[in-house]
């Protein structure tokens, strides 16, 4: 009896976790928001330094804030010319913000998924691990190393191709060619869309050795880290791919083909865009403009000269965006596909939404609906606000708003002409569009709970 008492007396209660650890576990979304807000603040201070821009008075605090937000949120919208307004130091800061924003988004999104999995029960975690077949429940080190390796491998490969092209074909000095190659490779893989040419990629509209590598980097970066990791692990065993990987690949292929065909057909005879090129050039430029709305932001033709219908179709592509837990923005292809499958199931009268022979849980459909509708509400509110206080056309305003919220970076050219207050609205949209969907999705998952009772059913009239 004495020994148990001694053991009991010597037993110490475990120390509570530090407050920052408890906050990260209970409110992971707040950590993401705080981290990006701090990054935007630091980037703004660096870009506001006189050494960051070329001429005195050419860049103010608002331009620094806008550019820092656009770079860290890997958007690409700009209020000043990146090639001429910023000094080499400023361009290095922009490149660093792009890399941190892209790498941080993938890492934080993946780690956020692990935090969410840890909060589930053991059986739920085992089911999640068996279903995804990609991320472990606690191997954070492997996740970080995987992200870093993929980023470096893709960016280095694209940079090498671009460097050779700029040096041998366009006769830039090798040092300048290397800088151009690295900058555009990092910008493309992170779906940022910043370019060191005043006309973006318009001067390379018919050059496949510049456009196609950048498109490849955009597509790979937009798939999302979980998909890339799973493809590396099971590249020859497609049957072991998870529903998320199959869904992302299928929707990405569908949107790439559909977007390319749509833009090419709509702009084929437009003399302000594809109509000024020969047939091979039109096909290449049409493909580029079909890829870039996946939240990249590069443009090889004048976006402002596009037809109104093309702008509206591009709005849809930008709003959908790319894959989850990657560098792309938008509501994500997974969200769009879940809603599409749920609508088809409802039209057919099926009790469950089924995708790749797997039943989608009702919680996933509700979360997708919440993310999509809240995103629509933000876009509509911002569009109404700007359209009522500016003289620009509605299609141009809507395009800029969707581009900012979906962190795309394509522009009709009106962003530099907007009033400071309107540019601040775009800053808020870029920030919300980058951290909002991830934060909202995680918050919805963490708040999900079971009730011990259900209210009686009441059916309102629909339609």
């Amino acid at each position: 009896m004495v020994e148990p008492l001694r053991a009991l007396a010597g037993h110490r209660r475990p120390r509570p976790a530090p407050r920052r650890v408890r906050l990260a576990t209970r409110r992971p979304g707040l950590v993401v928001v705080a981290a990006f807000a701090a990054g935007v603040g630091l980037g703004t201070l660096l870009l506001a330094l006189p050494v960051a821009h070329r001429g005195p008075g050419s860049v103010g605090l608002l331009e620094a804030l806008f550019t820092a937000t656009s770079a860290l949120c890997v958007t690409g919208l700009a209020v000043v010319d990146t090639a001429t307004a910023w000094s080499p130091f400023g361009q290095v800061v922009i490149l660093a913000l792009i890399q941190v924003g892209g790498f941080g988004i993938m890492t934080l999104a993946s780690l956020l998924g692990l935090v969410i999995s840890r909060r589930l029960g053991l059986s739920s975690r085992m089911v999640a691990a068996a279903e995804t077949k990609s991320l472990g429940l606690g191997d954070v080190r492997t996740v970080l190393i995987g992200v870093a390796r993929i980023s470096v491998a893709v960016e280095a490969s694209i940079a090498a191709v671009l460097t050779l092209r700029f040096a041998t074909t366009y006769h830039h000095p090798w040092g300048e060619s290397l800088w151009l190659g690295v900058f555009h490779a990092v910008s493309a893989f992170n779906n940022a869309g910043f370019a060191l040419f005043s006309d973006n990629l318009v001067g390379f509209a018919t050059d496949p050795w510049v456009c196609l590598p950048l498109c490849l980097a955009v597509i790979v970066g937009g798939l999302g880290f979980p998909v890339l990791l799973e493809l590396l692990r099971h590249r020859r065993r497609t049957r072991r791919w998870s529903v998320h990987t199959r869904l992302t690949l299928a929707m990405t292929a569908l949107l790439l083909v559909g977007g390319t065909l749509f833009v090419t057909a709509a702009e084929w005879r437009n003399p302000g865009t594809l109509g000024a090129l020969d047939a091979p050039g039109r096909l290449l430029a049409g493909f580029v403009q079909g890829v870039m709305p996946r939240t990249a932001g590069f443009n090889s033709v004048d976006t402002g000269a596009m037809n109104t219908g093309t702008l509206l179709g591009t709005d849809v592509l930008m709003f959908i965006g790319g894959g989850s837990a990657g560098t792309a923005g938008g509501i994500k292809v997974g969200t769009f596909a879940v809603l599409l499958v749920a609508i088809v199931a409802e039209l057919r009268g099926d009790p469950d939404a089924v995708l790749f022979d797997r039943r989608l849980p009702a919680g996933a459909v509700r979360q997708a609906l919440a993310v999509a509708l809240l995103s629509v509400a933000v876009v509509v509110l911002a569009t109404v606000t700007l359209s009522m206080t500016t003289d620009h056309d509605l299609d141009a305003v809507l395009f800029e708003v969707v581009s900012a919220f979906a962190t795309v970076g394509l522009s009709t050219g009106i962003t530099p002409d907007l009033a400071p207050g309107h540019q601040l609205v775009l800053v808020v949209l870029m920030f919300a569009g980058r951290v909002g969907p991830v934060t909202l999705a995680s918050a919805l998952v963490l708040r999900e709970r079971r009730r011990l009772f259900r209210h009686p059913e009441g059916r309102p009239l629909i339609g």
Side-chain angles (χ1 to χ4, degrees):
M1 186 66 181
V2 177
E3 293 298 329
L5 289 177
R6 289 178 178 177
L8 182 61
H11 176 71
R12 297 181 178 179
R13 297 178 62 184
R15 295 181 178 180
R19 186 174 183 275
R20 61 180 182 274
V21 176
R22 298 198 304 270
L23 178 62
T25 304
R26 297 177 183 177
R27 297 289 187 271
L30 294 179
V31 178
V32 176
V33 174
F36 272 82
V40 169
L42 178 60
T44 301
L45 292 177
L46 293 176
L47 291 178
L49 296 175
V51 70
H53 30 90
R54 295 186 184 275
S58 60
V59 176
L61 185 60
L62 177 58
E63 289 79 6
L65 171 63
F66 194 101
T67 304
T69 306
S70 182
L72 190 66
C73 296
V74 291
T75 303
L77 281 177
V79 291
V80 294
D81 186 3
T82 307
T84 59
W86 303 105
S87 67
F89 174 81
Q91 293 175 0
V92 170
V93 171
I94 293 174
L95 182 66
L97 290 173
I98 293 173
Q99 186 66 81
V100 170
F103 180 80
I105 280 293
M106 292 193 297
T107 303
L108 290 175
S110 301
L111 295 181
L112 206 56
L114 296 178
V115 170
I116 293 173
S117 298
R118 289 175 183 272
R119 292 182 61 85
L120 302 177
L122 178 60
S123 59
S124 299
R125 280 187 286 162
M126 293 176 64
V127 171
E131 175 62 23
T132 59
K133 298 182 180 70
S134 56
L135 294 178
L137 297 180
D139 199 354
V140 177
R141 182 174 179 271
T142 301
V143 172
L144 294 175
I145 293 177
V147 173
R149 286 179 175 175
I150 292 175
S151 300
V152 172
V154 175
E155 292 172 358
S157 301
I158 302 300
V161 176
L162 294 178
T163 299
L164 290 174
R165 189 62 173 176
F166 289 138
T168 58
T169 303
Y170 299 96
H171 307 293
H172 290 284
W174 280 100
E176 182 182 354
S177 298
L178 177 61
W179 169 240
L180 292 174
V182 170
F183 188 95
H184 291 89
V186 173
S187 182
F189 177 73
N190 292 284
N191 280 217
F194 277 95
L196 295 182
F197 303 100
S198 297
D199 59 354
N200 208 278
L201 298 183
V202 175
F204 308 98
T206 58
D207 188 347
W209 289 99
V210 173
C211 292
L212 293 183
L214 291 177
C215 288
L216 178 61
V218 169
I219 295 172
V220 173
L223 290 177
F225 170 69
V227 173
L228 296 177
L229 181 59
E230 189 167 332
L231 290 178
L232 291 176
R233 289 180 175 178
H234 309 300
R235 49 185 175 272
R236 294 185 179 179
R237 294 172 289 182
T238 58
R239 294 183 178 180
R240 302 189 64 178
W241 288 357
S242 65
V243 170
H244 172 71
T245 295
R246 296 179 183 182
L247 172 64
T248 302
L249 293 177
M251 288 302 302
T252 298
L254 178 63
L255 292 174
L256 287 176
V257 174
T260 300
L261 294 177
F262 167 74
V263 174
T264 304
E267 296 294 317
W268 186 265
R269 297 184 182 277
N270 186 349
T273 56
L274 302 186
L277 307 174
D278 57 9
R282 294 181 188 183
L283 295 176
L284 177 60
F287 175 71
V288 172
Q289 296 307 125
V291 171
M292 296 310 169
R294 310 305 315 288
T295 77
F298 291 110
N299 63 285
S300 61
V301 297
D302 184 7
T303 306
M306 287 183 172
N307 299 318
T308 301
T310 309
L311 293 178
L312 183 59
T314 305
D315 289 336
V316 176
L317 294 174
M318 293 191 298
F319 187 76
I320 296 174
S324 300
T327 60
I331 64 172
K332 305 298 189 298
V333 294
T335 303
F336 178 75
V338 168
L339 293 177
L340 191 61
V341 171
I343 292 174
V344 172
E346 189 65 28
L347 293 176
R348 297 176 58 182
D350 296 335
D352 299 315
V354 179
L355 185 65
F356 298 114
D357 297 326
R358 293 292 185 271
R359 175 174 54 86
L360 297 179
V365 178
R366 293 196 306 268
Q367 291 158 17
L369 184 63
V371 170
L373 289 182
L374 287 176
S375 299
V376 169
V378 171
V379 169
V380 170
L381 179 61
T383 302
V384 171
T385 301
L386 294 183
S387 62
M388 293 179 63
T389 55
T390 65
D391 297 329
H392 297 289
D393 296 335
L394 177 60
D395 53 351
V397 172
L398 176 62
F399 193 91
E400 303 295 309
V401 168
V402 175
S403 181
F405 179 75
T407 67
V408 179
L410 290 173
S411 175
T412 58
I414 70 172
T415 295
D417 299 330
L418 294 176
H422 300 147
Q423 293 178 356
L424 287 177
V425 172
L426 296 183
V427 168
V428 174
L429 286 174
M430 289 188 291
F431 190 86
R434 175 50 73 185
V435 303
V438 176
T439 303
L440 178 60
S442 63
L444 292 175
V445 172
L446 293 174
R447 286 178 60 86
E448 187 173 330
R449 61 182 185 271
R450 292 183 178 180
R451 289 183 179 270
L452 299 179
F453 65 92
R454 300 182 69 184
H455 292 284
E457 184 179 276
R459 188 176 184 86
L461 296 179
I462 304 297

